[in-house]
Amino acid sequence: MSAARDIAVVAYARTAPGTVTGDLSEVEMVLPVLREVLGATGLTTDRVGFVCSGSCDYLAGRAFSFTMALDGVGAWPPIAESHVETDGAWALYEAWVKLLTGAADTALVYAWGKPSAGDLPEVLTRQLDPYYLAPLWPDSVSLAALQARALLDAGVTDERELAATARRARVGGPEAAEPAVLPLRRGDCPPVTDGAAAVLLAAGDTARMLCERPAWIRGIDHRTEPHALGVRDLTDAPSARLAAERAGAYDPAAAPLEVAELHAPFSSQEVLLRRALRLGEGVCVNPSGGALAADPVMATGLIRIGEAAERVRHGGARRALAHATSGPCLQQNLVAVLEGDPS
Amino acid sequence: MTASAQPAPLSAPLTVEFPFTRSLGPVQSAFLTGLRERTVLGARTAGGRVLVPPPEYDPGTAAELRELVEIAPAGTVTSWAWNPAPRRGQPLAAPFAWVLVRLDGADSGLLHALAAPGPEAVRTGARVRIRWAGRRTGAVTDIACFEPDTESDAGSAGERAGEPGADRADAPWPRPHAAAFADPVTAVTLPARLEYTHTPGRAQTRFLHALAERRILGERCPGCRKVYVPPRGACPTCGVATAEQAEVGPAGTVTTFCVVNIKAKNLDIEVPYVYAHIALDGAGLALHGRIGGIPYDEVRMGLRVEPVWTEGSRYPDHYRPTGEPDADYDTYKDLL
């Protein structure tokens, strides 16, 4: 849906891509990005109207781990705060709704993941249907590989295109060609990455006051596929397309999309999403390197929104699309459309 | 005391185990009981599609699904992926192919493993058949895996002698089924085990290293000057890093306490005993510990205590009275 009140990304920070920060606690990882977005806008926690975070206890294996990270915000005396147990893009969605209601003018959104603490593909089996799928422990790479095979069989892509997508995302060594779970090779899969990201949202004149060129969220929507993998057409993501449509991505009166940041941890999923979202040749996809270059799970989707906003705020783009996903084989999809004021 | 060089990071194995016991609705119960009886059931939607495994609600219309039909134990591979290094818990220990199989009579795919010598032996469109587990309990793992089916063609009956329904070998799939079994499974217990390497972070690593040397090291907030012990790396009031170290204690004051009368599992401490909040001298908040060396009914607010380390331990076993006069209430009232 589109907004009745103008809300924008006014600041964004992320930890360095591609790092594993084993010696840092979660709050130690989160603190620098929180300080960076607050510092960029001159805000302090007590002047932020709403705080919302995204993370998952299963990554580090600790219950209520978000409460520890909350220390980094400065949550005492009590602040207006919420948390989602999924990617931070959904925390941003909640914050956007909060700002729409007029209950707050600014919101701090942050997310982090420390998947290096466990075996991520195995940990992600625990998000699956507990009756029919979880007892088989099908890891996330294997499920993505089933989707990649479906795309190859349908003639949607070929191994050359997958390899080219993987190469563009990051500098691949010779190991990129080694089999992971065929047809996926190691270069088609994301590296284990720890990291955090923060985004500051503001409404209307507050946004204009806090930064020079706000990245206005013109629309944001999220949709889901049927939860049974075997019911879905794994070569398409109709829920992502519907979310994009509802977020205004195909508004014929709007400026053309110039940039798209797609949350595609696997090369095959980037190919699928370009097609499902009907992104033309003129759209620059994943200039940040995307999730294939760095996948700090639970922050990866929020980073897509932050990176798309950066292209609008500092990269001269007029209009950008950001996509976030959660679940196996692009199960849930969120799309935001961001715009800068005409220059 | 100022910041010192960061000691080597600590880490420790952390295993999380949790058995989920889940009750089954009528559809899941019939499907899983059916597997136990070597019978595959699917759900028929109002639109005529047959979905396997059967969902409880139509993914297209959200209508409740109750009509179950029997599906063939053989079908066609619709997608596959070669798993060269099976993980713990996966259906086969040797390299195998994950497959989505459209069983004859079904309109959706069932995820499982296919036993195959190598990726060159697997293809989309291949005919496969269920290999039943020897011991079946009413779980999706009652299907041990799929195996190549050299005997059946798509749409044909394809039973083997002795399998349920073999007497109706010519009937087309799907077939009507009452979906009523003796002694149906009504719940499943799903054990989960995940292994992690826990790292406590820089602040707690500094704290734990010092503790092993019998020093208690807090960290001071550069904003409000409060000293946190144990430190977590950030001041929750100011939201900034607490990098300046400050040694506290070792003695402290009991600010509040409780008498524990319930013996904890795996804890070799006689009840009743006292568990207390202790404000170490110089600390900005109280930590908690057990009080020993004094009858439980003589512990009081304001009691002065000190840590007791046992030989070889990295942390204090308990706190005992120092013998000093009790602290004045005003000295700790803000730390309650």
Side-chain angles (χ1 to χ4, degrees):
Chain A
M1 61 178 285
S2 58
R5 191 183 187 212
D6 288 337
I7 293 158
V9 173
V10 297
Y12 159 67
R14 71 184 284 188
T15 51
T19 48
V20 169
T21 51
D23 67 324
L24 296 182
S25 70
E26 287 153 311
V27 67
E28 288 166 344
M29 200 166 67
V30 168
L31 246 176
V33 297
L34 295 175
R35 302 320 304 169
E36 195 177 330
V37 293
L38 290 169
T41 50
L43 284 175
T44 48
T45 302
D46 58 344
R47 289 173 56 215
V48 172
F50 184 60
V51 175
C52 197
S53 60
S55 70
C56 179
D57 283 355
Y58 277 77
L59 294 186
R62 300 177 69 205
F64 291 98
S65 58
F66 77 93
T67 59
M68 296 294 178
L70 204 48
D71 282 357
V73 177
W76 180 266
I79 56 172
E81 181 272 336
S82 184
H83 175 262
V84 298
E85 195 76 5
T86 184
D87 191 286
W90 276 264
L92 184 140
Y93 182 88
E94 182 177 334
W96 178 75
V97 170
K98 187 85 168 184
L99 265 57
L100 273 189
T101 66
D105 291 329
T106 52
L108 172 61
V109 180
Y110 64 102
W112 74 95
K114 198 178 166 183
S116 70
D119 175 356
L120 181 67
E122 180 179 69
V123 168
L124 290 177
T125 64
R126 299 302 92 191
Q127 73 182 333
L128 301 170
D129 178 303
Y131 306 98
Y132 300 155
L133 292 182
L136 306 175
W137 294 81
D139 56 271
S140 53
V141 179
S142 293
L143 294 178
L146 281 169
Q147 184 171 38
R149 168 60 58 197
L151 287 161
L152 291 168
D153 285 345
V156 171
T157 188
D158 54 35
E159 296 209 28
R160 268 180 51 197
E161 188 184 20
L162 295 185
T165 304
R167 265 198 310 279
R168 207 187 50 251
R170 61 167 183 267
V171 182
E175 73 280 0
E178 288 172 17
V181 177
L182 284 172
L184 292 180
R185 298 175 184 278
R186 283 176 57 184
D188 296 311
C189 307
V192 174
T193 321
D194 299 335
V199 167
L200 204 76
L201 297 181
D205 289 342
T206 308
R208 291 182 189 92
M209 206 172 64
L210 289 173
C211 80
E212 204 155 301
R213 184 173 163 81
W216 300 105
I217 299 172
R218 288 304 177 212
I220 180 167
D221 194 72
H222 63 96
R223 301 278 154 169
T224 184
E225 303 292 334
H227 88 270
L229 276 175
V231 168
R232 292 169 52 186
D233 171 3
L234 291 178
T235 67
D236 196 9
S239 69
R241 190 162 50 246
L242 181 58
E245 190 186 321
R246 303 270 300 188
Y250 311 122
D251 179 357
L257 284 172
E258 292 167 51
V259 174
E261 280 285 340
L262 305 179
H263 184 174
F266 300 92
S267 61
S268 43
Q269 294 179 344
E270 183 177 316
V271 171
L272 187 160
L273 283 167
R274 282 168 179 265
R275 183 165 169 265
L277 293 173
R278 301 191 185 118
L279 301 177
E281 290 296 316
V283 182
C284 174
V285 173
N286 287 342
S288 70
L292 256 178
D295 187 23
V297 180
M298 300 300 146
T300 312
L302 182 63
I303 287 173
R304 303 282 75 75
I305 298 174
E307 291 290 338
E310 285 294 285
R311 301 293 149 178
V312 170
R313 294 186 55 230
H314 305 299
R318 174 85 169 85
R319 199 153 182 266
L321 177 147
H323 159 266
T325 195
S326 178
C329 303
L330 304 170
Q331 178 76 30
Q332 286 120 26
N333 295 286
L334 177 150
V335 173
V337 174
L338 300 127
E339 271 182 22
D341 289 323
S343 42
Chain B
M1 189 174 171
T2 53
S4 56
Q6 177 64 26
L10 292 172
S11 68
L14 170 68
T15 300
V16 178
E17 267 185 294
F18 41 96
F20 278 120
T21 300
R22 294 177 177 271
S23 57
L24 302 172
V27 171
Q28 291 161 330
S29 170
F31 175 70
L32 295 177
T33 308
L35 295 185
R36 189 188 69 197
E37 307 303 327
R38 298 194 300 173
T39 299
V40 185
L41 298 178
R44 196 198 299 270
T45 69
R49 294 180 80 203
V50 174
L51 306 180
V52 183
E56 294 169 291
Y57 298 91
D58 186 331
T61 66
E64 196 170 348
L65 297 177
R66 284 295 176 269
E67 187 197 347
L68 297 177
V69 289
E70 187 181 355
I71 307 303
T76 305
V77 171
T78 59
S79 189
W80 62 279
W82 184 254
N83 183 11
R87 293 159 187 272
R88 185 172 46 83
Q90 294 183 341
L92 295 170
F96 67 88
W98 288 107
V99 282
L100 279 167
V101 178
R102 192 186 303 120
L103 294 170
D104 298 343
D107 297 297
S108 66
L110 174 78
L111 178 80
H112 222 290
L114 170 66
E120 61 288 341
V122 188
R123 62 181 175 84
T124 300
R127 294 289 302 167
V128 295
R129 162 177 290 276
I130 289 173
R131 181 196 293 166
W132 296 104
R135 186 178 157 271
R136 295 182 304 280
T137 60
V140 72
T141 45
D142 288 353
I143 297 174
C145 63
F146 281 86
E147 56 194 9
D149 185 15
T150 51
E151 295 171 29
S152 75
D153 299 307
S156 81
E159 283 97 345
R160 288 174 180 177
E163 284 199 342
D167 54 326
R168 297 173 293 148
D170 294 333
W173 304 104
R175 296 172 182 171
H177 197 286
F181 299 96
D183 189 23
V185 289
T186 56
V188 285
T189 300
L190 306 155
R193 178 187 167 93
L194 295 169
E195 287 169 2
Y196 299 91
T197 301
H198 177 64
T199 48
R202 289 179 183 166
Q204 291 192 67
T205 291
R206 289 190 288 263
F207 172 76
L208 292 167
H209 274 292
L211 206 56
E213 299 164 5
R214 304 193 173 185
R215 292 187 302 123
I216 301 170
L217 204 53
E219 294 195 347
R220 181 176 282 118
C221 173
C224 66
R225 307 301 292 165
K226 188 168 176 169
V227 174
Y228 290 91
V229 58
R232 303 199 187 280
C235 172
T237 304
C238 303
V240 294
T242 54
E244 183 192 336
Q245 279 117 68
E247 195 164 336
V248 301
T253 302
V254 172
T255 61
T256 185
F257 65 94
C258 64
V259 180
V260 179
N261 285 290
I262 299 164
K263 201 166 164 57
K265 202 175 164 185
N266 304 325
L267 199 60
D268 190 23
I269 300 169
E270 287 307 311
V271 292
Y273 65 88
V274 171
Y275 208 66
H277 271 194
I278 302 156
L280 296 177
D281 297 344
L285 76 171
L287 49 66
H288 44 85
R290 184 169 62 88
I291 305 297
I294 179 173
Y296 72 91
D297 54 358
E298 291 177 22
V299 175
R300 56 205 179 265
M301 288 170 73
L303 181 70
R304 295 285 295 161
V305 294
E306 62 187 4
V308 178
W309 271 269
T310 51
E311 190 59 39
S313 175
R314 292 186 68 98
Y315 49 87
D317 178 71
H318 65 276
Y319 292 77
R320 69 181 172 210
T322 62
E324 298 166 83
D326 284 2
D328 187 67
Y329 180 69
D330 283 341
T331 64
Y332 63 86
K333 67 178 183 190
D334 294 332
L335 302 177
L336 283 173

